Amino acid sequence: MFLRNYWYVGAYAAEIGEQPLARTILGEPVLFYRTSDGRAVALEDRCCHRNLPLSMGAREGDGIRCGYHGLKFDSTGRCIEIPGQAQIPPDAKVRTYPVIERWNFIWLWMGDPAERDESLLPEWQCIDDPKLTTTMGNGCQALPMKCNWQLNNDNLLDLIHVVYVHPGTLGGAGLDNNPVTTKRLGKGVHMMRWSAHVEPVPLLAKLAGFNGALSDRWQATLCELPSHCTIDAGFSAPDAVGRDGDRDQGVRLRALITATPETDTTSFMFYAQCRNFALGNEEVSKRFIQQIRAIFDQDIGVMEGQQRINSMLPNAPTIEIRCDVPVVAMRRLVMEAAARERGEPIAARATAPRPIEAGRVAG
Amino acid sequence: MFLRNYWYVGAYAAEIGEQPLARTILGEPVLFYRTSDGRAVALEDRCCHRNLPLSMGAREGDGIRCGYHGLKFDSTGRCIEIPGQAQIPPDAKVRTYPVIERWNFIWLWMGDPAERDESLLPEWQCIDDPKLTTTMGNGCQALPMKCNWQLNNDNLLDLIHVVYVHPGTLGGAGLDNNPVTTKRLGKGVHMMRWSAHVEPVPLLAKLAGFNGALSDRWQATLCELPSHCTIDAGFSAPDAVGRDGDRDQGVRLRALITATPETDTTSFMFYAQCRNFALGNEEVSKRFIQQIRAIFDQDIGVMEGQQRINSMLPNAPTIEIRCDVPVVAMRRLVMEAAARERGEPIAARATAPRPIEAGRVAG
Amino acid sequence: MFLRNYWYVGAYAAEIGEQPLARTILGEPVLFYRTSDGRAVALEDRCCHRNLPLSMGAREGDGIRCGYHGLKFDSTGRCIEIPGQAQIPPDAKVRTYPVIERWNFIWLWMGDPAERDESLLPEWQCIDDPKLTTTMGNGCQALPMKCNWQLNNDNLLDLIHVVYVHPGTLGGAGLDNNPVTTKRLGKGVHMMRWSAHVEPVPLLAKLAGFNGALSDRWQATLCELPSHCTIDAGFSAPDAVGRDGDRDQGVRLRALITATPETDTTSFMFYAQCRNFALGNEEVSKRFIQQIRAIFDQDIGVMEGQQRINSMLPNAPTIEIRCDVPVVAMRRLVMEAAARERGEPIAARATAPRPIEAGRVAG
């Protein structure tokens, strides 16, 4: 199940050049390239004549020429030349996807172009914030995952997993007992955990040179439809900042992470991290990129393990626990959006999660 | 199609230690480990919360802690800890499989635990018989086969195949003309062939130091539901033992072999051999283990070849021949057991095999 | 979808010897071997007893003995021996396929043997023509393609693709503007393009030592049901031969190419080339074989690319262009033949292609 009328990261901006790049997105073959003035283009990656992937052809000027019979398409997907034929049939065109290049990512609108809505982009301006240092993910190469895209939402709305999946880097004692606050926003779900007087985030403490044994620590995720997660995580010396204070007084990381569906059981992770410490320090950036990739490999191991079980036992019963409140709220948001796209009425009560002990969905 | 209310070998006892071992059995993910007192445990290999395989977690005390959110399960499959949450929902549990550790194997009951019936175990006491020397199969590692489990029953109830599949080791001239006697027992099918004054079993003759050109040879298989084959094979000098005599006066091998379904088209072979010659001789044991594995690789080649055709042409017509009487009787037993598990009446006549020339099903 | 009542190339004659060769054709397992007098035989590659591929057995005399229970089949597929059993059931037989060995190929009739019709063979006598030099394809080894067989018909009825897929070897300027003439023959479709005063075929010019900058060039394909393509391609000095003249006065190549379906999405290419220049020149033959294989690898790359899209988007809309007239005519012929085999009336109008600008189907 895919949501169509949303923006998806199709590629890192740095992945797209003059040579065609082919990638399957939401089960559709997509071709990326840049025109001579550097504009990124995303076309359906099949010639409308005989279905050869256009990515097997060649860029020519600002268009693409098919490698089979030489049909040429412009950057809007319109066929503008059929060798040996003067007249071009009106249906000689391929689909084009609206593209926005922003924050080092190429964003694709996968639904009806007429419904394209720029306000549905997440607010990832921090990537360009000169007061922060940003590291783009994985050497700017899409990171493939053999799992459904929603497992990534689950993972990032449920940051207690750092204790078990990432001990020694993102884990740490003392988080368990601090409950999560969940808010349902218009286009997403926000969760926040504040843990006073607990171990600082080991990886961040190390890279930021923080030596305290205790800290005040926060973990917050805004997950917006379909799969864009804006994480705000960090810590300060105990009582130095406070729950409602200016977190930039502490060691703070914004992590921007999204999973783009390839098929129902595979997806691509794209990400960036913006930090407010060790600004401009290349050595820290390098170690940071390596560590984050190692951490995400742990997450991908978990999600691929879940996918194996989900594929083997699609109807196995599961339970919800207290930390699932944001996860369940987001799953419901996705279900509602899917129903909306199918033109179905939204049976809010039918899709409501079972009551969860100590959980609370606000807003 | 799987039969559920039976015991299956899930592992060699030696495969199970304190670290979790994951294996798919009857299409279900199963996790094995030993508690601190050495007791083998088999649990459903998925956390009931988010479907992570529990085998990706860690044993902790006598239980398992999930590697995602730290839920801890005891050795009965009950969740006994949810980090950050005092109350544990009553449905927070995973399936546990009744286990019997016996004869160096871990036996799993895959059906309703309430119907667990120890009398359905085969009688493989010979493995522990101090008057015999036992070699466990394949270095105590499950041997994977890309074929349906029933092909192994077929193979072992039809030992004339040794002439064609295992020439030089288990084959030998003179078997063809000696018909098989078939008896249907309560929980299985027994077949027996007695061949007087024929070539001895080449492999056994060699290892036992028998130099005679002729022998009296027997091949008997008891195949019990679902897939447990107890083979009694050997030979004596001509007329030394006789059809109804004490076969332990000859060179005698008990081979205990079973195929455990992994999926409909894959399974695991487990086996042991008990011999009454070269007792305690380690060198003979070593050669024996190697030769048996080579022989079973031949069988697996055959069964995987059959599976390729069965998958390609599931409805291809086949014929029965004289030596199929025990095979057909066992297939019928399996069909009846499957119908019983589905709660269907058993249409004995409808499932009856076609008449076979010179065949006979007794008992 | 396969057409059954036709001849298919099952193998190069040189591939078949006394040892069994197994190959899946039209989704059926087929076994090839030669009898002691050298006659090629094609049998169903499964024992009718327990479905072991007979190719895992051994040739014995002019028959095959199964490697599982020793059933022996003669070269007509009849079981002539069942070890341990005097009587042979009348249904103990496997399917045999009518075979014709001709022009270095083994032709199989995949339909009802009673409808076998030798007149449906293509006329590839040129392979044996002593006035030509023939090179058999790919070292006489079937060339596997991960694509549906009909894509090869499309490819070869649409030779304008040489400009884009094979520049530098078969391409060349000036072909685009010369329209194709299409004729529908009884069992196939014929297309022809005559291009006066254009670049000669680079590969042929080089091998034939032709140095002229211009030539008169022809490309003609007869594609006969199901997939047999007889190509006549070449060139002469400008105005030396003329459209209706004796093309053997020019540099002329007959290329005989066929795709045999393995499954719906895989097939085998078989081919031969007969040239009227550099006769008997082994060095030219060697370079020719290498170059043709490189060229066909380009075609296979294209067809496998199409197959990926066809499998991903089976209902994607496509357009027809002018050069598709022969392609569409052949697709229609295949559809009609398939309907005929299913016993359906042929809805000629319903299957008619959309009108194509400047296209014309004659005959």
Side-chain angles (χ1 to χ4, degrees), chain A residues 188-235:
Chain A
V189 167
H190 183 272
M191 81 91 197
M192 159 79 177
R193 173 184 286 112
W194 177 270
S195 306
H197 296 219
V198 298
E199 196 182 342
V201 192
L203 173 66
L204 300 188
K206 200 169 171 186
L207 293 179
F210 179 87
N211 294 314
L214 289 183
S215 72
D216 289 348
R217 183 170 171 185
W218 64 89
Q219 299 176 299
T221 300
L222 170 64
C223 180
E224 293 173 289
L225 286 171
S227 55
H228 309 317
C229 294
T230 307
I231 294 176
D232 178 354
F235 65 90

Side-chain angles (χ1 to χ4, degrees), chain C residues 2 20 22 125 143 149 153 184 195 286 297 318 326-327 349:
Chain C
F2 304 132
Q125 293 85 343
L143 186 56
W149 59 279
N153 285 352
R184 178 153 166 180
S195 305
K286 206 170 134 189
D297 280 347
T318 54
V327 169
R349 287 313 98 192

Side-chain angles (χ1 to χ4, degrees), chain C residues 217-237:
Chain C
R217 184 172 169 183
W218 63 90
Q219 298 175 299
T221 299
L222 171 65
C223 179
E224 294 173 289
L225 285 171
S227 55
H228 309 316
C229 294
T230 307
I231 294 176
D232 179 352
F235 65 90
S236 70

Side-chain angles (χ1 to χ4, degrees), chain A residues 151 154-156 158 160-162 164-165 176-177 299 301-303 305-310 312-313 316-324 327-328 354 356-357, chain B residues 24 27-29 44-54 56 65-71 73 79 81-93:
Chain A
L151 292 176
D154 296 355
N155 183 265
L156 295 173
D158 185 8
I160 197 67
H161 82 263
V162 298
Y164 303 96
V165 182
D176 285 354
N177 295 320
D299 287 312
V302 163
M303 295 187 283
Q306 292 178 279
Q307 184 63 53
R308 285 195 300 276
I309 299 293
N310 290 349
M312 199 187 304
L313 300 173
T318 54
I319 63 162
E320 308 299 346
I321 63 175
R322 193 165 82 161
C323 65
D324 289 323
V327 169
V328 170
R354 286 171 282 172
I356 297 171
E357 183 254 354
Chain B
T24 297
E28 296 180 5
E44 190 178 357
D45 188 19
R46 66 169 192 102
C47 180
C48 60
H49 172 225
R50 285 282 171 252
N51 279 349
L52 189 74
L54 287 173
M56 293 177 70
R65 192 179 289 281
C66 178
Y68 201 176
H69 303 93
L71 277 70
F73 297 85
C79 180
E81 193 184 323
I82 300 179
Q85 181 168 331
Q87 193 185 319
I88 296 179
D91 51 355
K93 60 184 181 224

Side-chain angles (χ1 to χ4, degrees), chain B residues 286-301:
Chain B
K286 205 170 136 189
R287 288 169 58 197
F288 204 62
I289 288 170
Q290 290 170 344
Q291 293 276 347
I292 292 291
R293 169 62 197 262
I295 285 165
F296 285 1
D297 280 348
Q298 293 171 325
D299 288 312
I300 291 172

Side-chain angles (χ1 to χ4, degrees), chain B residues 4-330:
Chain B
R4 302 211 74 88
N5 285 321
Y6 291 93
W7 295 100
Y8 287 91
V9 172
Y12 289 98
E15 284 184 287
I16 310 300
E18 297 199 348
Q19 295 313 307
L21 174 80
R23 184 160 286 157
T24 297
I25 297 183
L26 275 63
E28 296 180 5
V30 179
L31 155 73
F32 299 90
Y33 69 97
R34 288 187 188 278
T35 59
S36 53
D37 61 355
R39 192 169 48 86
V41 174
L43 298 180
E44 190 178 357
D45 188 19
R46 66 169 192 102
C47 180
C48 60
H49 172 225
R50 285 282 171 252
N51 279 349
L52 189 74
L54 287 173
S55 55
M56 293 177 70
R59 201 184 56 89
E60 198 179 294
D62 286 351
I64 288 278
R65 192 179 289 281
C66 178
Y68 201 176
H69 303 93
L71 277 70
K72 187 173 169 187
F73 297 85
D74 70 13
S75 66
T76 71
R78 198 165 53 92
C79 180
I80 54 173
E81 193 184 323
I82 300 179
Q85 181 168 331
Q87 193 185 319
I88 296 179
D91 51 355
K93 60 184 181 224
V94 301
R95 186 169 176 186
T96 182
Y97 298 92
V99 162
I100 295 173
E101 178 166 358
R102 192 168 297 172
W103 309 316
N104 302 332
F105 292 117
I106 304 294
W107 300 86
L108 290 192
W109 180 262
M110 295 300 293
D112 181 350
E115 297 188 39
R116 164 196 168 139
D117 179 357
E118 208 165 315
S119 78
L120 289 176
L121 282 176
E123 300 190 359
W124 286 5
Q125 294 85 341
C126 54
I127 290 176
D128 292 335
D129 188 335
K131 297 189 302 295
L132 304 174
T133 292
T134 293
T135 48
M136 297 304 296
N138 194 34
C140 286
Q141 300 222 324
L143 186 55
M145 309 193 281
K146 292 194 272 297
C147 66
N148 181 273
W149 59 280
Q150 286 200 74
L151 292 175
N152 198 54
N153 285 352
D154 296 355
N155 182 264
L156 295 174
L157 277 169
D158 185 9
L159 294 177
I160 197 67
H161 82 262
V162 299
V163 179
Y164 303 97
V165 182
H166 314 299
T169 52
L170 302 184
L175 300 179
D176 285 354
N177 295 319
N178 295 292
V180 152
T181 309
T182 303
K183 278 191 287 196
R184 179 155 166 179
L185 304 180
K187 57 177 176 169
V189 167
H190 183 270
M191 81 91 196
M192 158 80 177
R193 174 185 286 111
W194 179 268
S195 305
H197 296 219
V198 298
E199 198 181 341
V201 191
L203 173 66
L204 300 187
K206 199 169 172 187
L207 293 178
F210 179 87
N211 294 313
L214 288 183
S215 72
D216 290 349
R217 183 172 170 182
W218 64 89
Q219 299 176 299
T221 299
L222 171 64
C223 179
E224 293 173 289
L225 285 171
S227 55
H228 310 315
C229 294
T230 307
I231 294 176
D232 178 354
F235 65 91
S236 70
D239 307 313
V241 169
R243 191 179 185 116
D244 300 311
D246 174 11
R247 292 180 196 151
D248 271 318
Q249 301 302 315
V251 171
R252 186 179 188 186
L253 185 72
R254 273 89 158 195
L256 301 325
I257 310 172
T258 190
T260 299
E262 182 187 38
T263 67
D264 263 328
T265 56
T266 59
S267 39
F268 299 104
M269 190 196 284
F270 298 94
Y271 59 96
Q273 271 77 22
C274 311
R275 65 183 194 261
N276 75 343
F277 58 91
L279 294 174
N281 184 324
E282 292 292 332
E283 182 56 29
V284 165
S285 291
K286 205 170 136 189
R287 288 169 58 197
F288 204 62
I289 288 170
Q290 290 170 344
Q291 293 276 347
I292 292 291
R293 169 62 197 262
I295 285 165
F296 285 1
D297 280 348
Q298 293 171 325
D299 288 312
I300 291 172
V302 163
M303 294 186 283
E304 293 184 350
Q306 291 178 279
Q307 184 64 54
R308 284 195 300 276
I309 300 292
N310 290 349
S311 294
M312 197 187 306
L313 300 173
N315 301 311
T318 54
I319 63 162
E320 308 299 344
I321 64 175
R322 194 166 82 162
C323 67
D324 289 323
V325 175
V327 169
V328 169
M330 188 68 203

